[in-house]
Amino acid sequence: MTTKEKLLAIFLKQAEQPLSGEVLGKKLNVSRTAVWKAIQTLKKEGHLIESLPNVGYVYLPSDTILASEILKNIGTHVPQLTIQVEKEVTSTNDLLKKASIDGVDQPVLLIAENQTKGRGRFGRDFISNAEKGIYFSLLLNVQKKFNELPSYTILSAAALAAAIEKKTEKNCQIKWVNDLYYQNKKIAGILSEATTDFETQSITSIVIGVGLNFLMSPAAIPTELQEKVGSLFTEQPEITRNQLIAEFLNQFFDMLQDKEQNFLTEYRQRSFVLGKQVTFKQQGKICRGVAKAIGNTGELIVTLDTGGEVALSSGEISLSSIT
Ligand code: BTN
């Protein structure tokens, strides 16, 4: 452990209590200057540390994303994960896909405060600069055929909605296939990507990316998006992002390990589209119908206005309107 990490551990145990540079130096067996330097680094990382003249330093609880705080809140059914937290990256999905190609074969959770090239489905940009956003990707190594795997997008959407409900009592709906809606506005999106091995024709790794507007005041949302895009909170809540990320992991691995695949029931119950009129484009043609069901592999079954039924695969179609 570095001096900075040891200092943070002391602060987290004794948050809101004044601690002098001298006492901290003695505890860590370093000079007061070394304590001061470590404090500057912690502040730069986003921690709130007040300096009180003639008293010392006071660590104020904040919503800084910390691996240690996430680990504290996850259950024993969650596999051992490397958790990496970064201030800014291009895209957490891109970095973990690269890590997987480079041979990383352990589960990794990569979280960023900001992304400069956040991506959504179909190559769309995903704006990743909420005042407090949650942007992370989970890398899992699998070695299975495609049809042996659950739909990770569906499972992740169900897990995120369940985690939000458990921690905040807020009820989110899921717009097929990967968007979470709260009060009729999109607050989160999920992007799952797979790496395949050509020779064995199997999936070698999965990267699941989650982006959530955790805290964003309405004024921070660009005017042209205000009707469509929202945020889980508009004022600082009591729950921290660490607690919500940890609960997502708890729900995700619970659902993944569940032989009964109950996540599909959870997903269907929270659907924003079932029973509604939907519009989508297929082979250049605009089609309309009523969303009738979500099949066992996550496909959306639509009764077409022109007669007959069609099963839409999530990889190919996005709904253009729902009424
Ligand atoms: C969508 O809305 O179509 C999906 C958005 C997924 C965004 C997340 S944020 C973390 C991860 N990194 C990315 O570049 N994308 C995903």
CSV table of all heavy atoms in Angstrom, one decimal, residues 201-246:
chain,number,residue,atom,x,y,z
A,201,GLN,N,-15.1,-21.1,-33.1
A,201,GLN,CA,-16.4,-20.5,-33.3
A,201,GLN,C,-17.1,-20.3,-32.0
A,201,GLN,O,-18.3,-20.6,-31.8
A,201,GLN,CB,-17.3,-21.5,-34.1
A,201,GLN,CG,-16.8,-21.6,-35.6
A,201,GLN,CD,-17.2,-20.4,-36.4
A,201,GLN,OE1,-18.4,-20.0,-36.4
A,201,GLN,NE2,-16.3,-19.7,-37.0
A,202,SER,N,-16.3,-19.9,-31.0
A,202,SER,CA,-17.0,-19.6,-29.7
A,202,SER,C,-16.7,-18.2,-29.2
A,202,SER,O,-15.7,-17.6,-29.7
A,202,SER,CB,-16.6,-20.7,-28.7
A,202,SER,OG,-15.2,-20.7,-28.6
A,203,ILE,N,-17.5,-17.8,-28.2
A,203,ILE,CA,-17.3,-16.5,-27.6
A,203,ILE,C,-16.2,-16.7,-26.6
A,203,ILE,O,-16.2,-17.6,-25.8
A,203,ILE,CB,-18.6,-16.0,-26.9
A,203,ILE,CG1,-19.8,-16.1,-27.8
A,203,ILE,CG2,-18.4,-14.6,-26.3
A,203,ILE,CD1,-19.9,-15.0,-28.9
A,204,THR,N,-15.2,-15.7,-26.6
A,204,THR,CA,-14.1,-15.8,-25.6
A,204,THR,C,-14.3,-14.8,-24.5
A,204,THR,O,-13.9,-15.1,-23.3
A,204,THR,CB,-12.8,-15.6,-26.3
A,204,THR,OG1,-12.8,-14.4,-27.1
A,204,THR,CG2,-12.4,-16.8,-27.1
A,205,SER,N,-14.9,-13.7,-24.8
A,205,SER,CA,-15.1,-12.7,-23.7
A,205,SER,C,-16.3,-11.9,-24.0
A,205,SER,O,-16.7,-11.7,-25.2
A,205,SER,CB,-13.9,-11.9,-23.4
A,205,SER,OG,-13.7,-11.0,-24.5
A,206,ILE,N,-16.9,-11.3,-22.9
A,206,ILE,CA,-18.0,-10.4,-23.1
A,206,ILE,C,-17.6,-9.1,-22.3
A,206,ILE,O,-17.1,-9.2,-21.2
A,206,ILE,CB,-19.2,-11.0,-22.3
A,206,ILE,CG1,-19.7,-12.4,-22.9
A,206,ILE,CG2,-20.4,-10.0,-22.3
A,206,ILE,CD1,-20.4,-12.3,-24.2
A,207,VAL,N,-18.0,-8.0,-22.9
A,207,VAL,CA,-17.8,-6.7,-22.2
A,207,VAL,C,-19.2,-6.1,-22.1
A,207,VAL,O,-19.8,-5.9,-23.1
A,207,VAL,CB,-16.8,-5.8,-23.0
A,207,VAL,CG1,-16.8,-4.4,-22.3
A,207,VAL,CG2,-15.4,-6.4,-23.0
A,208,ILE,N,-19.6,-5.8,-20.9
A,208,ILE,CA,-20.9,-5.2,-20.7
A,208,ILE,C,-20.7,-3.8,-20.2
A,208,ILE,O,-20.1,-3.6,-19.1
A,208,ILE,CB,-21.7,-6.0,-19.6
A,208,ILE,CG1,-21.9,-7.4,-20.1
A,208,ILE,CG2,-23.0,-5.3,-19.3
A,208,ILE,CD1,-22.1,-8.4,-19.0
A,209,GLY,N,-21.1,-2.8,-21.0
A,209,GLY,CA,-20.9,-1.4,-20.6
A,209,GLY,C,-22.2,-0.8,-20.1
A,209,GLY,O,-23.3,-1.0,-20.7
A,210,VAL,N,-22.2,-0.1,-19.0
A,210,VAL,CA,-23.3,0.5,-18.4
A,210,VAL,C,-23.1,2.0,-18.3
A,210,VAL,O,-22.0,2.4,-17.7
A,210,VAL,CB,-23.7,-0.1,-17.1
A,210,VAL,CG1,-24.8,0.7,-16.4
A,210,VAL,CG2,-24.0,-1.6,-17.2
A,211,GLY,N,-24.0,2.8,-18.8
A,211,GLY,CA,-23.9,4.3,-18.6
A,211,GLY,C,-25.2,4.8,-18.0
A,211,GLY,O,-26.2,4.5,-18.5
A,212,LEU,N,-25.0,5.5,-16.8
A,212,LEU,CA,-26.2,6.0,-16.1
A,212,LEU,C,-26.0,7.4,-15.7
A,212,LEU,O,-25.0,7.8,-15.1
A,212,LEU,CB,-26.5,5.1,-14.9
A,212,LEU,CG,-27.4,5.6,-13.8
A,212,LEU,CD1,-28.9,5.5,-14.3
A,212,LEU,CD2,-27.3,4.8,-12.5
A,213,ASN,N,-27.0,8.3,-16.0
A,213,ASN,CA,-27.0,9.6,-15.5
A,213,ASN,C,-27.5,9.5,-14.0
A,213,ASN,O,-28.7,9.4,-13.8
A,213,ASN,CB,-28.0,10.5,-16.3
A,213,ASN,CG,-27.5,10.7,-17.7
A,213,ASN,OD1,-26.3,10.6,-18.0
A,213,ASN,ND2,-28.4,11.1,-18.6
A,214,PHE,N,-26.6,9.6,-13.1
A,214,PHE,CA,-26.9,9.3,-11.7
A,214,PHE,C,-27.4,10.7,-11.1
A,214,PHE,O,-28.4,10.7,-10.5
A,214,PHE,CB,-25.6,8.9,-11.0
A,214,PHE,CG,-25.8,8.6,-9.5
A,214,PHE,CD1,-26.4,7.5,-9.1
A,214,PHE,CD2,-25.4,9.6,-8.6
A,214,PHE,CE1,-26.5,7.2,-7.7
A,214,PHE,CE2,-25.5,9.3,-7.2
A,214,PHE,CZ,-26.1,8.2,-6.8
A,215,LEU,N,-26.6,11.7,-11.3
A,215,LEU,CA,-27.0,13.0,-10.8
A,215,LEU,C,-26.8,14.1,-11.8
A,215,LEU,O,-25.6,14.3,-12.3
A,215,LEU,CB,-26.2,13.3,-9.5
A,215,LEU,CG,-26.3,14.8,-9.0
A,215,LEU,CD1,-27.7,15.1,-8.6
A,215,LEU,CD2,-25.4,15.0,-7.8
A,216,MET,N,-27.8,14.7,-12.3
A,216,MET,CA,-27.7,15.7,-13.3
A,216,MET,C,-28.8,16.7,-13.1
A,216,MET,O,-30.0,16.3,-13.0
A,216,MET,CB,-27.9,15.0,-14.7
A,216,MET,CG,-27.0,15.5,-15.7
A,216,MET,SD,-27.2,14.4,-17.1
A,216,MET,CE,-26.3,15.3,-18.3
A,217,SER,N,-28.5,18.0,-12.9
A,217,SER,CA,-29.6,19.0,-12.7
A,217,SER,C,-30.2,19.2,-14.1
A,217,SER,O,-29.5,19.1,-15.1
A,217,SER,CB,-29.1,20.3,-12.2
A,217,SER,OG,-28.0,20.7,-13.0
A,218,PRO,N,-31.5,19.4,-14.2
A,218,PRO,CA,-32.2,19.6,-15.5
A,218,PRO,C,-31.4,20.6,-16.4
A,218,PRO,O,-31.3,20.4,-17.6
A,218,PRO,CB,-33.6,20.1,-15.2
A,218,PRO,CG,-33.8,19.6,-13.8
A,218,PRO,CD,-32.5,19.6,-13.1
A,219,ALA,N,-30.9,21.7,-15.8
A,219,ALA,CA,-30.2,22.7,-16.6
A,219,ALA,C,-28.9,22.1,-17.3
A,219,ALA,O,-28.5,22.7,-18.3
A,219,ALA,CB,-29.8,23.8,-15.7
A,220,ALA,N,-28.4,21.0,-16.7
A,220,ALA,CA,-27.2,20.5,-17.3
A,220,ALA,C,-27.4,19.6,-18.6
A,220,ALA,O,-26.5,19.3,-19.3
A,220,ALA,CB,-26.4,19.6,-16.3
A,221,ILE,N,-28.7,19.4,-18.8
A,221,ILE,CA,-29.1,18.5,-20.0
A,221,ILE,C,-29.3,19.5,-21.2
A,221,ILE,O,-30.1,20.5,-21.1
A,221,ILE,CB,-30.3,17.7,-19.7
A,221,ILE,CG1,-30.1,16.8,-18.5
A,221,ILE,CG2,-30.8,16.9,-20.9
A,221,ILE,CD1,-31.3,16.0,-18.0
A,222,PRO,N,-28.6,19.3,-22.3
A,222,PRO,CA,-28.8,20.2,-23.5
A,222,PRO,C,-30.3,20.3,-23.8
A,222,PRO,O,-31.0,19.3,-23.8
A,222,PRO,CB,-28.0,19.4,-24.6
A,222,PRO,CG,-27.1,18.5,-23.9
A,222,PRO,CD,-27.7,18.2,-22.6
A,223,THR,N,-30.6,21.6,-24.1
A,223,THR,CA,-32.1,21.9,-24.4
A,223,THR,C,-32.7,20.9,-25.3
A,223,THR,O,-33.8,20.4,-25.1
A,223,THR,CB,-32.2,23.3,-24.9
A,223,THR,OG1,-31.1,24.1,-24.4
A,223,THR,CG2,-33.5,23.9,-24.7
A,224,GLU,N,-32.0,20.6,-26.4
A,224,GLU,CA,-32.6,19.8,-27.5
A,224,GLU,C,-32.8,18.3,-27.0
A,224,GLU,O,-33.6,17.6,-27.6
A,224,GLU,CB,-31.8,19.8,-28.8
A,224,GLU,CG,-30.4,19.1,-28.7
A,224,GLU,CD,-29.3,20.0,-28.1
A,224,GLU,OE1,-29.6,21.1,-27.5
A,224,GLU,OE2,-28.1,19.7,-28.3
A,225,LEU,N,-32.2,18.0,-25.8
A,225,LEU,CA,-32.4,16.6,-25.3
A,225,LEU,C,-33.3,16.5,-24.1
A,225,LEU,O,-33.7,15.4,-23.6
A,225,LEU,CB,-31.0,16.0,-24.9
A,225,LEU,CG,-30.0,15.8,-26.1
A,225,LEU,CD1,-28.7,15.2,-25.5
A,225,LEU,CD2,-30.6,14.8,-27.1
A,226,GLN,N,-33.7,17.7,-23.6
A,226,GLN,CA,-34.4,17.7,-22.3
A,226,GLN,C,-35.7,16.9,-22.3
A,226,GLN,O,-36.1,16.4,-21.3
A,226,GLN,CB,-34.7,19.2,-21.9
A,226,GLN,CG,-33.4,19.7,-21.3
A,226,GLN,CD,-33.6,21.0,-20.6
A,226,GLN,OE1,-34.7,21.5,-20.5
A,226,GLN,NE2,-32.5,21.6,-20.1
A,227,GLU,N,-36.4,16.8,-23.5
A,227,GLU,CA,-37.6,16.0,-23.5
A,227,GLU,C,-37.4,14.5,-23.4
A,227,GLU,O,-38.2,13.8,-23.0
A,227,GLU,CB,-38.4,16.3,-24.8
A,227,GLU,CG,-39.4,17.4,-24.5
A,227,GLU,CD,-40.3,17.6,-25.7
A,227,GLU,OE1,-40.6,16.6,-26.5
A,227,GLU,OE2,-40.7,18.7,-25.9
A,228,LYS,N,-36.2,14.1,-23.8
A,228,LYS,CA,-35.9,12.7,-23.9
A,228,LYS,C,-35.0,12.1,-22.9
A,228,LYS,O,-35.0,11.0,-22.6
A,228,LYS,CB,-35.3,12.4,-25.3
A,228,LYS,CG,-36.3,12.5,-26.5
A,228,LYS,CD,-35.6,12.0,-27.7
A,228,LYS,CE,-36.6,12.1,-28.9
A,228,LYS,NZ,-36.0,12.1,-30.2
A,229,VAL,N,-34.1,13.0,-22.4
A,229,VAL,CA,-33.0,12.5,-21.5
A,229,VAL,C,-33.3,13.0,-20.1
A,229,VAL,O,-33.6,14.2,-19.9
A,229,VAL,CB,-31.6,12.9,-22.0
A,229,VAL,CG1,-30.5,12.5,-21.1
A,229,VAL,CG2,-31.4,12.3,-23.4
A,230,GLY,N,-33.1,12.1,-19.1
A,230,GLY,CA,-33.3,12.5,-17.7
A,230,GLY,C,-32.1,12.0,-16.8
A,230,GLY,O,-31.1,11.6,-17.3
A,231,SER,N,-32.4,12.1,-15.5
A,231,SER,CA,-31.4,11.6,-14.6
A,231,SER,C,-32.1,10.9,-13.4
A,231,SER,O,-33.2,11.3,-13.1
A,231,SER,CB,-30.6,12.9,-14.1
A,231,SER,OG,-29.7,12.6,-13.1
A,232,LEU,N,-31.4,10.0,-12.8
A,232,LEU,CA,-32.0,9.3,-11.7
A,232,LEU,C,-32.2,10.3,-10.6
A,232,LEU,O,-33.3,10.3,-9.9
A,232,LEU,CB,-31.0,8.2,-11.3
A,232,LEU,CG,-31.5,7.2,-10.2
A,232,LEU,CD1,-32.8,6.5,-10.6
A,232,LEU,CD2,-30.5,6.2,-9.8
A,233,PHE,N,-31.2,11.1,-10.3
A,233,PHE,CA,-31.4,12.1,-9.3
A,233,PHE,C,-31.1,13.5,-9.9
A,233,PHE,O,-30.3,13.6,-10.8
A,233,PHE,CB,-30.4,11.9,-8.1
A,233,PHE,CG,-30.7,10.7,-7.4
A,233,PHE,CD1,-29.9,9.5,-7.6
A,233,PHE,CD2,-31.7,10.6,-6.4
A,233,PHE,CE1,-30.1,8.4,-6.9
A,233,PHE,CE2,-31.9,9.4,-5.7
A,233,PHE,CZ,-31.1,8.3,-5.9
A,234,THR,N,-31.7,14.5,-9.3
A,234,THR,CA,-31.4,15.9,-9.7
A,234,THR,C,-30.8,16.7,-8.6
A,234,THR,O,-30.3,17.8,-8.8
A,234,THR,CB,-32.7,16.6,-10.2
A,234,THR,OG1,-33.7,16.5,-9.2
A,234,THR,CG2,-33.2,16.1,-11.5
A,235,GLU,N,-30.8,16.1,-7.4
A,235,GLU,CA,-30.0,16.6,-6.3
A,235,GLU,C,-29.3,15.5,-5.6
A,235,GLU,O,-29.7,14.4,-5.6
A,235,GLU,CB,-31.0,17.2,-5.2
A,235,GLU,CG,-31.6,18.5,-5.6
A,235,GLU,CD,-32.7,19.0,-4.8
A,235,GLU,OE1,-32.8,18.5,-3.6
A,235,GLU,OE2,-33.4,19.9,-5.2
A,236,GLN,N,-28.2,15.9,-4.9
A,236,GLN,CA,-27.3,14.9,-4.3
A,236,GLN,C,-28.2,14.0,-3.3
A,236,GLN,O,-28.8,14.5,-2.4
A,236,GLN,CB,-26.2,15.6,-3.5
A,236,GLN,CG,-25.2,14.7,-2.8
A,236,GLN,CD,-24.4,13.9,-3.8
A,236,GLN,OE1,-23.9,14.4,-4.8
A,236,GLN,NE2,-24.4,12.6,-3.7
A,237,PRO,N,-28.2,12.7,-3.6
A,237,PRO,CA,-28.9,11.8,-2.8
A,237,PRO,C,-28.1,11.2,-1.6
A,237,PRO,O,-26.9,11.5,-1.6
A,237,PRO,CB,-29.3,10.6,-3.7
A,237,PRO,CG,-28.1,10.6,-4.6
A,237,PRO,CD,-27.6,12.0,-4.8
A,238,GLU,N,-28.7,10.5,-0.7
A,238,GLU,CA,-27.9,9.9,0.3
A,238,GLU,C,-27.1,8.7,-0.2
A,238,GLU,O,-26.0,8.5,0.3
A,238,GLU,CB,-28.8,9.4,1.5
A,238,GLU,CG,-28.9,10.5,2.5
A,238,GLU,CD,-29.8,10.1,3.7
A,238,GLU,OE1,-29.8,8.9,4.0
A,238,GLU,OE2,-30.4,11.0,4.3
A,239,ILE,N,-27.7,7.9,-1.1
A,239,ILE,CA,-27.0,6.8,-1.6
A,239,ILE,C,-25.8,7.2,-2.4
A,239,ILE,O,-25.9,8.2,-3.1
A,239,ILE,CB,-28.0,5.9,-2.4
A,239,ILE,CG1,-27.2,4.7,-2.9
A,239,ILE,CG2,-28.6,6.6,-3.5
A,239,ILE,CD1,-27.9,3.9,-4.0
A,240,THR,N,-24.7,6.5,-2.4
A,240,THR,CA,-23.5,6.8,-3.2
A,240,THR,C,-23.5,6.0,-4.5
A,240,THR,O,-24.1,5.0,-4.5
A,240,THR,CB,-22.2,6.6,-2.4
A,240,THR,OG1,-22.1,5.2,-2.2
A,240,THR,CG2,-22.2,7.3,-1.1
A,241,ARG,N,-22.7,6.5,-5.4
A,241,ARG,CA,-22.5,5.7,-6.6
A,241,ARG,C,-21.9,4.4,-6.3
A,241,ARG,O,-22.2,3.4,-7.0
A,241,ARG,CB,-21.7,6.5,-7.6
A,241,ARG,CG,-22.4,7.7,-8.2
A,241,ARG,CD,-21.6,8.5,-9.1
A,241,ARG,NE,-20.5,9.2,-8.5
A,241,ARG,CZ,-19.5,9.8,-9.1
A,241,ARG,NH1,-19.5,9.9,-10.4
A,241,ARG,NH2,-18.6,10.5,-8.4
A,242,ASN,N,-21.0,4.4,-5.4
A,242,ASN,CA,-20.3,3.1,-5.0
A,242,ASN,C,-21.4,2.1,-4.6
A,242,ASN,O,-21.3,0.9,-5.0
A,242,ASN,CB,-19.3,3.3,-3.8
A,242,ASN,CG,-18.2,4.2,-4.2
A,242,ASN,OD1,-17.6,4.0,-5.2
A,242,ASN,ND2,-17.9,5.2,-3.4
A,243,GLN,N,-22.3,2.5,-3.8
A,243,GLN,CA,-23.4,1.6,-3.3
A,243,GLN,C,-24.2,1.0,-4.4
A,243,GLN,O,-24.5,-0.1,-4.5
A,243,GLN,CB,-24.2,2.2,-2.2
A,243,GLN,CG,-23.5,2.4,-0.9
A,243,GLN,CD,-24.3,3.4,0.0
A,243,GLN,OE1,-25.0,4.3,-0.5
A,243,GLN,NE2,-24.0,3.3,1.3
A,244,LEU,N,-24.5,1.9,-5.4
A,244,LEU,CA,-25.3,1.5,-6.5
A,244,LEU,C,-24.6,0.5,-7.5
A,244,LEU,O,-25.1,-0.5,-7.9
A,244,LEU,CB,-25.9,2.7,-7.3
A,244,LEU,CG,-26.9,2.4,-8.3
A,244,LEU,CD1,-28.1,1.6,-7.8
A,244,LEU,CD2,-27.5,3.7,-9.0
A,245,ILE,N,-23.3,0.8,-7.7
A,245,ILE,CA,-22.5,0.0,-8.6
A,245,ILE,C,-22.4,-1.4,-7.9
A,245,ILE,O,-22.5,-2.5,-8.5
A,245,ILE,CB,-21.1,0.6,-8.8
A,245,ILE,CG1,-21.2,1.9,-9.6
A,245,ILE,CG2,-20.2,-0.4,-9.6
A,245,ILE,CD1,-19.9,2.7,-9.7
A,246,ALA,N,-22.1,-1.4,-6.6
A,246,ALA,CA,-22.0,-2.7,-5.9
A,246,ALA,C,-23.3,-3.5,-6.0
A,246,ALA,O,-23.3,-4.7,-6.2
A,246,ALA,CB,-21.7,-2.5,-4.4
